[in-house]
Amino acid sequence: MIYMDNVAGTKPDKRVVEKMLPFISEKYGNPSAHFYPLGRESFEAIEEARGHVAALINAKPDNIIFTSCGTESNNLAIKGVANNPEYKDKKHIIISEIEHYSVQNVALKLTNYGYEVTKLKVDNTGLVNPQDLKKSIRKDTLLVSIMHANPEIGTIQDIEELGKVCKEAGVIFHVDAVASCGHVEVDVEKFQCDLLSIASQNFYGPRGAAALYIRDGVRITPLFDGGFQEKGYRSGSENVAAIVGMGEAARIAKEEMAEYSKKMIKLRQKLWDGLAKMFDFLHFTGHPEKRLPGHVSFWIEYIEGESLLMWYSLKGVCAASGSACSSNILAEDEEELEASHVLTAVGVPNDICAGSLTFSMSKYIEEKDVDYVLEITPGIVNRLCEMSPYFNKK
Amino acid sequence: MAKGPYSDKVMDHFMNPRNMGEIEDANAIGEVGNPACGDVMKLYMKINDEGVVEDVKFKTFGCGAAIASSSMATELIKGRKVEEVLELTNEAIVEALDGLPPAKIHCSVMAEEAIEAALKDYYSRMGKDPKIVDEMKEKIKSKVVS
Ligand code: FES
């Protein structure tokens, strides 16, 4: 099997798993019970992890709050700010059209509570224009939330420019860096952001651990109240093993990212060039250069995405599709089959279920894997073209 | 335990679609599309003088369920008389495929509609009012109900 759906989650590094194991067996102490060694051991392990995570994004350990997933981090950031009495007079939020559901839907929900939401348009490569952002900031703008990299089309925003605009205007800036952290540099100082979300599963750590960076002075109201874990920002017993794994994954990423990203960029180019040569009716999505290292995404005329995805899967290649037909296939009714808002935003024709596909590589991908994908692609595409009533019309 | 959204039958018809292609001298061609998700299904039939579907082929732009439904529909109508073909419902297609996920039922509906559209084409080529197909369908339905 060739796993090229790494935006959905990466394979945990062996060293990460090893580091976690004792914390799901003999080192079971509750980190809040640090008056005896068993508890203290867990407490210290979490603090060590906090240090590694902080180092990965150039933050102070004190500003890192562990959560359970990227969605929780995004919710905590946006609802946390919106719910804080300190900011009660500011009722305007800015996001982009291509944000993850955990940002879009949170913002949408806030409109029920008197918030107004501006969705910034992106160009056809998926970039937000910093000038557009500047123009849309108002006196009552509370928060801007923009993702660093988009998992579906791979585009990486000019986040430093956007950060500068927010800083100048004095609005809180949240960055969803879930897809990018561990693959390209994420630096809260360079980004000039106030809040930043990352998730362990996206950089070879386990699922169930994520973090939110909160800059000093930003007021956050927690999502749930309880026993004051994570300084009260995130009450509830910590998932110690997962946090330890995340810490180890962060440590490894910091040390090795530059090297594996270089390799992935090379393989990305190989896949990209190979596909480009094959069909003139294959269209790449996202930005050609400002993109995630191992990320190639495209759509194919005449072919529907789910069929494409299924054929790759039958040939042993795992990928992702943003077409409606593959979305929520286990839903209770067809109303829930919706084409991806990201693809629509970058102008992929949505009157048809575009055959969109995303290959996202990991550090484990080898050249022979890319060769294999290139080798099986003509067969798959030709087969589906042959079946398509659209194809002959040309 | 669920093995995934699609049954083995669906996967089989997706991987090895039966009767895929076009018929040059078809005398019944139906094309339908689903605006909601963009599926398009085109059905070709060759109906002989006895009113029997001698040959049938399809072309489909669509998901796994749409391709499997098209393929299964052609298998179910090949060699049948037009009147019998009209009795074929989407439920029968779903059943023959050992089920479809709820969100994908409309893909089988499309197959039923493609058959209807092809038969309408067939009757209008014979100089008859294509509405006859609707009337026949109505009759079949009321027969089933009573
Ligand atoms: S092709 Fe879109 S759901 Fe069947």
Side-chain angles (χ1 to χ4, degrees), chain A residues 203-262:
Chain A
F203 53 92
Y204 314 104
R207 286 171 194 279
L212 178 66
Y213 159 81
I214 308 176
R215 190 178 287 280
D216 292 332
V218 176
R219 303 277 179 201
I220 294 272
T221 298
L223 295 177
F224 23 95
D225 300 301
F228 291 103
Q229 285 90 345
E230 295 298 299
K231 293 201 228 147
Y233 284 118
R234 208 278 180 183
S235 294
S237 295
E238 295 92 339
N239 185 352
V240 182
I243 292 173
V244 167
M246 179 173 189
E248 181 65 358
R251 183 192 67 74
I252 296 169
K254 178 140 178 83
E255 261 171 40
E256 300 173 6
M257 183 173 73
E259 206 173 311
Y260 62 68
S261 289
K262 221 195 293 164

Side-chain angles (χ1 to χ4, degrees), chain A residues 43-308:
Chain A
F43 173 81
E44 281 166 5
I46 287 183
E47 291 317 305
E48 187 191 318
R50 200 185 307 281
H52 291 314
V53 169
L56 180 61
I57 60 172
N58 190 26
K60 287 184 293 182
D62 266 359
N63 297 83
I64 302 294
I65 300 301
F66 285 116
T67 64
S68 65
C69 59
T71 293
E72 189 189 330
S73 292
N74 286 343
N75 269 263
L76 178 59
I78 301 170
K79 287 185 190 159
V81 166
N83 290 342
N84 197 282
E86 187 114 343
Y87 307 123
K88 66 175 187 308
D89 298 329
K90 299 203 166 185
K91 296 280 185 205
H92 179 225
I93 291 172
I94 301 172
I95 64 172
S96 85
E97 267 185 314
I98 59 166
E99 294 307 308
H100 187 256
Y101 287 118
S102 58
V103 167
Q104 283 228 342
N105 290 346
V106 171
L108 194 75
K109 201 162 240 175
L110 285 171
T111 59
N112 295 333
Y113 300 93
Y115 287 84
E116 235 183 275
V117 176
T118 300
K119 273 195 201 173
L120 294 175
K121 293 227 170 308
V122 293
D123 68 13
N124 60 4
T125 67
L127 285 178
V128 172
N129 184 337
Q131 286 311 315
D132 290 349
L133 173 62
K134 197 172 185 169
K135 275 186 236 148
S136 59
I137 293 178
R138 317 191 307 215
K139 265 211 187 93
D140 64 338
T141 302
L142 169 63
L143 173 94
V144 173
S145 178
I146 309 273
M147 60 173 31
H148 185 207
N150 184 284
E152 220 169 304
I153 54 170
T155 299
I156 297 180
Q157 298 295 337
D158 294 326
I159 211 82
E160 293 177 31
E161 290 301 312
L162 300 170
K164 214 190 285 169
V165 172
C166 293
K167 181 86 191 229
E168 276 164 15
V171 297
I172 298 174
F173 184 35
H174 167 243
V175 176
D176 171 3
V178 167
S180 61
C181 189
H183 304 278
V184 291
E185 189 189 29
V186 169
D187 182 325
V188 295
E189 290 312 318
K190 284 192 185 155
F191 291 5
Q192 305 197 51
C193 59
D194 302 289
L195 299 155
L196 181 129
S197 308
I198 62 174
S200 145
Q201 77 198 37
N202 287 57
F203 53 92
Y204 314 104
R207 286 171 194 279
L212 178 66
Y213 159 81
I214 308 176
R215 190 178 287 280
D216 292 332
V218 176
R219 303 277 179 201
I220 294 272
T221 298
L223 295 177
F224 23 95
D225 300 301
F228 291 103
Q229 285 90 345
E230 295 298 299
K231 293 201 228 147
Y233 284 118
R234 208 278 180 183
S235 294
S237 295
E238 295 92 339
N239 185 352
V240 182
I243 292 173
V244 167
M246 179 173 189
E248 181 65 358
R251 183 192 67 74
I252 296 169
K254 178 140 178 83
E255 261 171 40
E256 300 173 6
M257 183 173 73
E259 206 173 311
Y260 62 68
S261 289
K262 221 195 293 164
K263 168 182 141 191
M264 283 201 278
I265 289 173
K266 240 170 93 194
L267 293 179
R268 170 185 87 199
Q269 214 45 51
K270 179 169 182 157
L271 183 54
W272 184 293
D273 295 343
L275 290 171
K277 257 187 255 149
M278 264 176 219
F279 312 99
D280 57 0
F281 48 94
L282 181 149
H283 309 271
F284 292 101
T285 55
H287 198 282
E289 285 113 37
K290 294 177 188 172
R291 62 187 300 113
L292 287 169
H295 193 289
V296 174
S297 55
F298 56 90
W299 62 280
I300 302 183
E301 288 175 57
Y302 325 118
I303 300 186
E304 188 277 318
E306 187 196 275
S307 306
L308 203 55

Side-chain angles (χ1 to χ4, degrees), chain A residues 304-307 323-326 334 337 352-353, chain B residues 6 34 36-40 60-67 103-108 110:
Chain A
E304 188 277 318
E306 187 196 275
S307 306
S323 64
C325 311
S326 58
E334 61 188 89
L337 295 176
I352 55 167
C353 282
Chain B
Y6 291 141
N34 183 323
C37 74
D39 312 20
V40 172
T60 293
F61 167 92
C63 65
I67 290 169
K104 295 289 190 168
I105 297 291
H106 73 275
C107 306
S108 67
M110 208 170 55

Side-chain angles (χ1 to χ4, degrees), chain A residues 278-279 303 308 311-312 315 372-387:
Chain A
M278 264 176 219
F279 312 99
I303 300 186
L308 203 55
W311 265 113
Y312 276 108
K315 298 270 182 198
Y372 176 72
V373 171
L374 287 171
E375 185 193 310
I376 60 171
T377 297
I380 293 176
V381 172
N382 288 332
R383 193 189 166 98
L384 289 169
C385 276
E386 202 192 323
M387 198 180 290

Side-chain angles (χ1 to χ4, degrees), chain B residues 44-135:
Chain B
Y44 303 79
M45 292 188 216
K46 175 99 183 111
I47 300 172
N48 67 17
D49 295 342
E50 280 78 55
V52 174
V53 179
E54 232 174 52
D55 197 8
V56 51
K57 286 203 181 330
F58 79 90
K59 285 220 161 179
T60 293
F61 167 92
C63 65
I67 290 169
S69 296
S70 321
S71 164
M72 183 53 92
T74 59
E75 284 232 294
L76 292 173
I77 61 177
K78 201 168 181 174
R80 306 243 162 216
K81 290 199 104 164
V82 168
E83 295 76 24
E84 292 169 333
V85 167
L86 275 170
E87 280 176 26
L88 183 73
T89 60
N90 84 294
E91 284 98 346
I93 298 171
V94 174
E95 204 184 300
L97 287 170
D98 290 341
L100 281 177
K104 295 289 190 168
I105 297 291
H106 73 275
C107 306
S108 67
V109 173
M110 208 170 55
E112 188 187 329
E113 286 169 358
I115 294 172
E116 256 176 63
L119 291 181
K120 279 186 179 162
D121 177 52
Y122 167 69
Y123 282 114
S124 46
R125 282 177 201 232
M126 291 199 317
K128 291 197 184 149
D129 185 349
K131 274 203 200 104
I132 182 170
V133 169
D134 300 322
E135 285 158 18

